[in-house]
Structures are given as C-alpha cells and as structure tokens.
Amino acid sequence: MSKTVLVVAAHTDDEALGCGGAIARHVAEGEQVHLLFMTDGVGSREVIAAEATERLTAAQQAAKVLGVSSFTNLNFPDNRMDSVSLLDIVQKLEAVINEVQPEVIYTHHNGDLN
C-alpha cells in the first residue's frame, strides 16, 4: 500500500541530513514524499540575496535527485521562529497538511535546536 509522506524541516538540507535514507526508501517504494521547509536557512547570517537564491536552487536540485513530489518553503525568519505568532505558523502548517494528507510525517527531534 502506497503512503504519502511529509517531511517538515527547519532549513533546506535538514531533510537530507536527518532522514535522507528514509526519503530515498519511500520514493523507491513508489510512495509520494513532500518536503516542507519552515525558513530560508540563511536569514540569520550576513548573506547577500544571491546566496539565499543559490541555497534554494541547490535544495530544489537535491529534491529532484531524491525524487520527491513537492517542495514548499514557508520562509519564516531563520532562527527567529519565536518572533512569529504560533497561530501564523500553525495555519501555514495546517494548509500544507490538509493539501498533502500525509500518513507519515518526519520532523526534527524535540531536543534539536532547529
């Protein structure tokens, strides 16, 4: 039976580092895997816009290599999620969950700083 999987990660690359093997296995088994990133991953650093664009492009290319079905970035402020209303975060997460209808969700361990 095919499953729909959602991976929720703080930044691009967290999905590959955290559960890249599981993503590859799900895709190999013919299951749909959707990626959802909470931040751009660079907003807390002194970077220029071109670097942020380059990081996003690399993440989209990695998603293609992994064979995922969709890639969404919510673009919340990197390392400043505590400055965003919890309601705003939940509403955006709920919208994606309602659209994707995942049976499996992977995300960070609760002790992870991300």
Side-chain angles (χ1 to χ4, degrees):
M1 176 184 269
S2 182
K3 294 179 186 164
T4 301
V5 177
L6 176 63
V7 178
V8 180
H11 322 103
T12 57
D13 80 5
D14 291 342
E15 83 294 356
L17 294 171
C19 62
I23 291 170
R25 187 199 68 203
H26 285 292
V27 170
E29 292 176 358
E31 299 171 349
Q32 288 189 2
V33 178
H34 303 269
L35 303 180
L36 173 62
F37 300 102
M38 301 303 291
T39 75
D40 65 9
V42 295
S44 63
R45 301 180 209 156
E46 291 185 27
V47 297
I48 56 173
E51 290 177 84
T53 301
E54 183 178 317
R55 182 179 175 99
L56 183 61
T57 300
Q60 290 169 330
Q61 291 170 341
K64 286 181 186 176
V65 169
L66 286 170
V68 301
S69 300
S70 73
F71 177 105
T72 303
N73 191 327
L74 297 180
N75 288 313
F76 285 115
D78 184 40
N79 285 306
R80 291 190 310 274
M81 292 284 295
D82 59 342
S83 70
V84 179
S85 159
L86 183 58
L87 180 60
D88 292 342
I89 295 168
V90 169
Q91 286 177 332
K92 292 211 177 195
L93 279 170
E94 282 180 341
V96 173
I97 289 170
N98 289 335
E99 179 182 331
V100 171
Q101 295 289 303
E103 296 156 287
V104 176
I105 298 176
Y106 291 102
T107 193
H108 298 269
H109 177 272
N110 67 352
D112 187 331
L113 291 177
N114 291 314

